[in-house]
């Protein structure tokens, strides 16, 4: 249970990013390597030093035996100048009494000496000692490692600290190098991600670059590109299909319209023609939409917004005037714009037609170009309540196609045209607070 | 008036010919480019209605060939494409006007007449609008039995508006037409003439009005109350 919770916490702490994992692993590796290396070296060194010390003790014992063998009554049995080297030699009789003590008298050592039938090494504090049977008693040789002349321990200590100091930068450098490497790697992935982020209905032919990503990640790019190829194919087929359908529908619609015109009953004829006009409008919008989808590869041209608006107003004016409304063009300092003439015309036509469809007779419709690259269609009709207007705007904001409330696909076409030009469509009350105004804002040329 | 209709859909061709014949036009029907060419070589048509998608070739090719041979006969395109590019391509190839299917026969009729008038290829004796008639040769306008007394420029303006009936006459075009290209006048000179002409029409009994499309131009139309819908 506790173990499980610990594992879970560890998993939470474990970074999800490759970069983080790489660094974490390196840090752990560095710590473990430093610890193992230090430990190993210290054990090895200490063992070597101890071995060396034991040799020394054995040599002294042997030397003492030699001296005693030649002169059994000798009092000086050491080979070296004892007081300086911290060495002491004691010769004990069978009852543990010191017969000869040479060097510092170490009672504790003599008391602790195991005195067995074999050579035994032992130690008390910093004093290392040997006891070995000699004739009826023992020889005990002791060496204080802390004596100033004994350097083996110092060497070991100094070496180990230096070694640790040397090891530390390596342990630190390892994660750093790893970090730099990973950073390079992730930067390339991020570059490719930025390209991927730009792929959409407006840039459907964009693909991820080959040969940029690390070899291990390349298959992901290849597979993504293949998926995009399939999507693009489907997307284009759909656009072409919509265009074909719309196109094919127009001739039969024309025939039906001609036949409807011959209907004698005035009321029935009017109703028939109205329905036909509505169908024709939808077909036209469908075609316009498909046309817009196909246009994504084009670079666009410089558009004279005022001239474009004048053309649309002039073309729509006869029908609008005949319907009992008026239309006017107001140039408030229009600036040229980089874009697509066809879709922009379609968008403006849709906004104007929308205004006509949703206002009563006697409404004044104004197309305002400028200031700058703004395009507004404003009317002084009944307008739309603020709440509904907000809902309409929100739907644009979310990118959903507004299909309800009688706006048809007209406004979604306008919205898509705005998007294709990196522009926005805003809905507000009309001029003087009456009616409604749709404003397209574009970036300047 | 004789119209050549080049349209491959037999139903549409029959219905359209029928509709135009009811409006007093004689219609010859060609089913494809080849037949169309044959009719055109025989000549004698005042205008051509050309469908863009034909079984043996593009209507645009036929049009280009026609214009390349120097034939200036008015050509109206009937297109199911409707994409702006297709329309522009049609006009660039030498079409005088275009209509997107499906169309209103009255509008088609008006456009044919307008193209003919603009070209001068077909000029009837009179131009009319609602109760107003304009005798082109005599340059005299009348509403019912009342003859309007108009100045030379007022007459020019009225004729221009009548010749382009059904569409907005841009202000610039009217200015160029009345005062010559590049004539530097006050910007409201044309408004003065429009104002006067409106007054004369009103004095003579109305039935016809000059609409202002502010920011664009003017348009003549029958009075809504006086004319049938």
């Amino acid at each position: 249970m506790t173990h499980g919770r610990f594992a879970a916490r560890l998993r939470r702490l474990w970074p999800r990013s490759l970069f983080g994992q790489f660094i974490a692993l390196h840090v752990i590796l560095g710590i473990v390597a430093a610890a193992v290396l230090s430990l190993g070296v210290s054990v090895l060194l200490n063992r070597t030093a101890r071995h060396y010390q034991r040799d020394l003790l054995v040599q002294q014992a042997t030397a003492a035996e030699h001296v005693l063998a030649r002169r059994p009554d000798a009092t000086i049995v050491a080979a070296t100048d004892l007081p300086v080297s911290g060495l002491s030699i004691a010769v004990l009789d069978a009852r543990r009494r010191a017969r000869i003590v040479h060097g510092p008298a170490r009672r504790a050592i003599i008391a602790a000496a195991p005195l067995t039938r074999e050579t035994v090494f032992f130690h008390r504090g910093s004093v290392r000692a040997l006891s070995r049977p000699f004739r009826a008693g023992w020889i005990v040789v002791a060496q204080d490692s802390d004596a100033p002349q004994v350097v083996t321990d110092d060497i070991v200590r100094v070496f180990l600290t230096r070694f640790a100091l040397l090891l530390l930068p390596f342990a630190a450098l390892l994660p750093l190098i790893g970090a730099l490497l990973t950073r390079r790697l992730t930067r390339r992935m991020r570059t490719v991600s930025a390209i991927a982020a730009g792929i959409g209905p407006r840039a459907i032919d964009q693909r991820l670059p080959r040969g940029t990503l690390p070899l291990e990640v390349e298959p992901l790019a290849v597979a993504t590109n293949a998926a995009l190829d399939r999507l693009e194919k489907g997307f284009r087929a759909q656009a072409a299909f919509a265009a074909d359908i719309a196109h094919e529908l127009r001739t039969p619609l024309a025939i039906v319209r001609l036949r409807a015109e011959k209907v004698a009953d005035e009321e029935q004829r009017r109703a028939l023609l109205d329905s036909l006009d509505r169908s024709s409008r939808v077909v036209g919008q469908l075609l316009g939409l498909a046309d817009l989808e196909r246009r994504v590869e084009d670079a666009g041209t410089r558009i004279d917004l005022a001239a474009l608006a004048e053309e649309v107003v002039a073309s729509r004016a006869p029908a609008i005037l005949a319907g009992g409304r008026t239309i006017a063009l107001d140039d408030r300092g229009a600036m040229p714009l980089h874009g697509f003439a066809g879709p922009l015309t379609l968008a403006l036509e849709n906004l104007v037609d929308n205004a006509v469809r949703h206002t009563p007779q006697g409404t004044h419709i104004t197309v305002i170009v400028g200031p700058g690259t703004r395009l507004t269609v404003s009317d002084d009709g009944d307008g739309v309540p603020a709440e509904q207007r907000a809902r309409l705007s929100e739907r644009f904001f979310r990118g959903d196609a507004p299909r309800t409330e009688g706006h048809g696909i007209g406004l979604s076409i306008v919205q898509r045209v705005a998007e294709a030009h990196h522009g926005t469509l805003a809905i507000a009350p009309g001029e003087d607070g009456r009616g409604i105004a749709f404003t397209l804002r574009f970036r300047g040329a | 008036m004789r119209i050549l209709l080049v349209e491959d859909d037999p139903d549409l061709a029959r219905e359209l010919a029928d509709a135009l014949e009811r409006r007093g036009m004689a219609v010859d029907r060609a089913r494809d480019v080849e037949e169309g060419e044959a009719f055109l070589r025989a000549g004698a048509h005042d205008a051509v209605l050309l469908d863009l998608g034909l079984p043996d070739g593009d209507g645009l090719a036929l049009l280009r060939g026609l214009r390349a041979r120097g034939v200036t006969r008015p050509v109206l395109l009937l297109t199911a494409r409707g994409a702006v590019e297709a329309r522009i391509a049609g006009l660039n190839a030498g079409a005088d006007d275009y209509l997107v299917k499906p169309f209103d026969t009255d509008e088609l009729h008006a456009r044919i007449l307008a193209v003919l008038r603009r070209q001068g290829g077909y000029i009837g004796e009179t131009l009319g609008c609602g109760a107003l008639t304009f005798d082109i040769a005599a340059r005299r306008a009348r509403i019912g039995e009342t003859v309007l007394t108009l100045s030379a420029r007022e007459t020019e303006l009225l004729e221009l508006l009548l010749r382009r009936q059904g569409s907005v006459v841009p202000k610039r075009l009217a200015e160029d037409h009345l005062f010559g290209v590049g004539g530097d006048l006050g910007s409201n000179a044309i408004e003065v003439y429009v104002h006067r002409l409106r007054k004369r029409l009103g004095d003579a009994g109305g039935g016809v009005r000059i609409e202002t499309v502010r920011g664009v131009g003017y348009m003549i139309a029958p009075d809504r109350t006086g004319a049938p819908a």
Side-chain angles (χ1 to χ4, degrees):
Chain A
M1 199 60 208
T2 340
H3 177 79
R5 213 177 307 147
F6 177 72
R9 175 175 297 177
L10 203 70
R11 219 170 298 132
R12 251 203 318 282
L13 279 174
W14 191 242
R16 217 166 65 85
S17 93
L18 276 178
F19 188 61
Q21 287 184 18
F22 202 84
I23 298 289
L25 271 174
H26 267 76
V27 167
I28 292 171
L29 199 71
I31 291 169
V32 168
V36 165
L37 265 176
S38 308
L39 206 76
V41 166
S42 119
V43 163
L44 259 172
L45 262 176
N46 276 319
R47 186 178 282 181
T48 313
R50 201 150 53 239
H51 196 75
Y52 173 71
Q53 279 175 341
R54 285 180 180 184
D55 272 0
L56 221 72
L57 292 176
V58 169
Q59 268 172 35
Q60 289 293 345
T62 313
E65 280 168 11
H66 276 297
V67 170
L68 286 173
R70 266 182 281 136
R71 291 185 290 132
D73 55 338
T75 47
I76 298 166
V77 289
T80 46
D81 191 7
L82 292 184
V84 199
S85 55
L87 192 80
S88 65
I89 301 170
V91 181
L92 309 181
D93 63 13
R95 308 170 80 169
R96 206 187 275 259
R97 272 189 314 238
R99 231 166 35 82
I100 302 168
V101 174
H102 196 188
R106 287 174 175 132
R107 286 174 203 287
I109 288 289
I110 291 169
L115 305 184
T116 56
R117 295 194 161 281
E118 277 143 33
T119 305
V120 175
F121 295 97
F122 65 98
H123 65 94
R124 273 284 171 282
S126 63
V127 179
R128 295 176 185 285
L130 159 156
S131 83
R132 153 158 137 180
F134 177 65
R135 287 178 193 164
W138 290 272
I139 286 182
V140 175
V141 182
Q143 164 87 59
D144 184 354
S145 326
D146 283 350
Q149 276 70 28
V150 181
V151 289
T152 33
D153 268 26
D154 291 338
I155 289 175
V156 170
R157 235 191 328 276
V158 169
F159 176 83
L160 278 181
T161 36
R162 296 249 166 109
F163 182 73
L165 281 175
L166 201 72
L167 213 65
L168 212 65
F170 274 106
L173 216 61
L174 208 65
L176 195 75
I177 292 169
L180 288 174
L181 263 170
T182 323
R183 201 176 191 72
R184 251 174 66 91
L185 215 104
T186 47
R187 190 183 303 138
R188 283 193 285 171
M189 291 209 241
R190 231 164 263 164
T191 314
V192 175
S193 299
I195 294 167
I199 299 173
R202 309 267 150 245
I204 193 145
D205 51 343
Q206 178 78 262
R207 288 292 177 274
L208 299 181
R210 301 285 308 275
T212 304
L213 286 171
L215 222 57
E216 289 80 359
V217 194
E218 185 87 6
L220 182 64
V222 173
T224 306
N225 281 348
L228 283 171
D229 284 343
R230 292 192 293 276
L231 276 177
E232 184 187 357
K233 212 171 137 196
F235 190 74
R236 287 196 193 288
Q238 205 186 18
F241 182 65
D244 284 347
I245 295 256
H247 191 259
E248 288 300 319
L249 275 173
R250 277 187 156 164
T251 299
L253 271 172
I255 298 165
V256 175
R257 201 179 198 292
L258 285 164
R259 287 180 180 154
E261 280 176 359
K262 288 196 285 195
V263 170
D265 183 87
E266 162 86 39
E267 201 179 322
Q268 211 168 20
R269 185 175 68 233
R270 211 52 275 158
L272 270 173
L273 291 179
D274 277 352
S275 305
L276 276 168
D277 285 346
R278 213 161 58 225
S279 320
S280 309
R281 200 160 50 232
V282 172
V283 165
Q285 285 170 332
L286 204 60
L287 207 57
L289 211 63
D291 187 47
L292 186 64
E293 306 297 2
R294 271 201 307 252
R295 203 179 304 277
V296 286
E297 300 106 86
D298 297 356
T301 52
R302 198 178 156 91
I303 309 286
D304 182 347
L305 215 51
L308 185 140
E310 184 177 337
E311 208 172 289
V312 171
V313 172
S315 76
R316 287 301 199 257
I320 290 172
L321 292 169
R325 295 171 188 81
T326 70
I327 184 162
L329 177 67
D330 193 352
D331 187 345
R332 295 185 184 167
M335 304 268 281
L337 157 77
H338 194 85
F340 313 110
L344 282 172
T345 304
L346 185 74
L348 185 54
E349 282 174 352
N350 269 296
L351 286 180
V352 170
D353 293 350
N354 194 52
V356 172
R357 262 202 318 285
H358 295 97
T359 55
Q361 287 206 340
T363 300
H364 301 290
I365 299 163
T366 312
V367 175
I368 305 159
V369 279
T373 51
R374 262 185 240 181
L375 196 52
T376 302
V377 176
S378 175
D379 66 56
D380 62 353
D382 300 335
V384 172
E387 187 198 320
Q388 199 183 328
R389 203 170 57 230
R391 254 187 296 146
L392 208 59
S393 304
E394 197 181 301
R395 223 175 295 137
F396 287 143
F397 197 69
R398 290 208 316 263
D400 295 357
R403 286 180 193 287
T404 53
E405 288 141 53
H407 289 281
I409 53 175
L411 285 183
S412 80
I413 288 182
V414 176
Q415 173 72 3
R416 291 216 204 172
V417 172
E419 275 169 16
H421 289 82
H422 307 288
T424 57
L425 172 64
I427 311 170
E431 303 260 292
D432 312 325
R434 298 178 60 198
I436 188 167
F438 290 86
T439 300
L440 283 164
R441 276 189 189 83
F442 301 110
R443 286 203 304 225
Chain B
M1 195 186 326
R2 199 160 194 86
I3 304 287
L4 174 63
L5 169 63
V6 189
E7 165 66 59
D8 63 318
D9 189 287
D11 285 342
L12 181 61
R14 193 175 55 247
E15 292 292 344
L16 187 54
D18 185 32
L20 290 175
E21 273 158 10
R22 272 184 280 126
R23 283 166 178 77
M25 292 176 166
V27 181
D28 286 322
R29 277 149 58 183
R31 277 172 308 194
D32 50 31
V33 173
E34 196 189 334
E35 277 190 27
E37 295 270 17
F39 269 113
L40 282 167
R41 268 193 295 280
H45 294 99
D46 296 293
V48 182
L49 293 180
L50 182 59
D51 180 29
L52 277 185
L54 293 169
D56 60 341
D58 193 353
L60 279 182
L62 188 147
L63 175 59
R64 279 196 207 93
L66 206 64
R67 294 300 186 233
R69 291 203 300 276
V71 179
T72 58
R73 200 163 301 154
V75 174
L76 268 95
L77 295 180
L78 302 178
T79 169
R81 291 176 198 169
V84 174
E85 273 67 20
R87 294 188 230 164
I88 291 171
L91 295 182
N92 284 343
D96 295 271
D97 206 349
Y98 64 86
L99 272 172
V100 175
K101 294 176 188 174
F103 40 78
D104 181 76
T105 313
D106 286 331
E107 195 182 348
L108 174 63
H109 185 234
R111 296 266 195 113
I112 294 171
L113 292 182
V115 164
L116 285 169
R117 284 192 213 109
R118 231 178 292 160
Q119 270 232 339
Y122 173 86
I123 301 172
E125 280 103 58
T126 61
L127 298 168
C129 177
L132 174 78
T133 54
F134 182 77
D135 187 323
I136 293 166
R139 312 198 61 67
R140 193 169 51 224
R142 62 171 73 199
I143 290 178
E145 293 307 310
T146 318
V147 177
L148 278 74
T149 36
L150 301 172
S151 73
R153 278 189 173 153
E154 286 160 13
T155 310
E156 282 278 325
L157 180 61
L158 181 61
E159 188 183 347
L160 176 66
L161 290 170
L162 284 171
R163 278 185 184 280
R164 293 184 168 255
Q165 210 180 128
S167 59
V168 180
V169 177
K171 203 172 155 185
R172 279 189 307 277
L173 182 83
E175 281 168 352
D176 292 349
H177 201 80
L178 259 66
F179 313 116
V181 177
D184 189 29
L185 317 132
S187 63
N188 60 354
I190 199 78
E191 282 165 34
V192 173
Y193 284 99
V194 170
H195 179 75
R196 282 194 210 152
L197 190 55
R198 273 192 187 129
K199 196 170 175 314
R200 305 255 191 267
L201 292 171
D203 289 348
V208 64
R209 52 192 288 158
I210 299 171
E211 305 260 23
T212 302
V213 179
R214 186 163 56 80
V216 181
Y218 305 95
M219 194 181 100
I220 197 160
D223 241 344
R224 279 194 298 279
T225 47

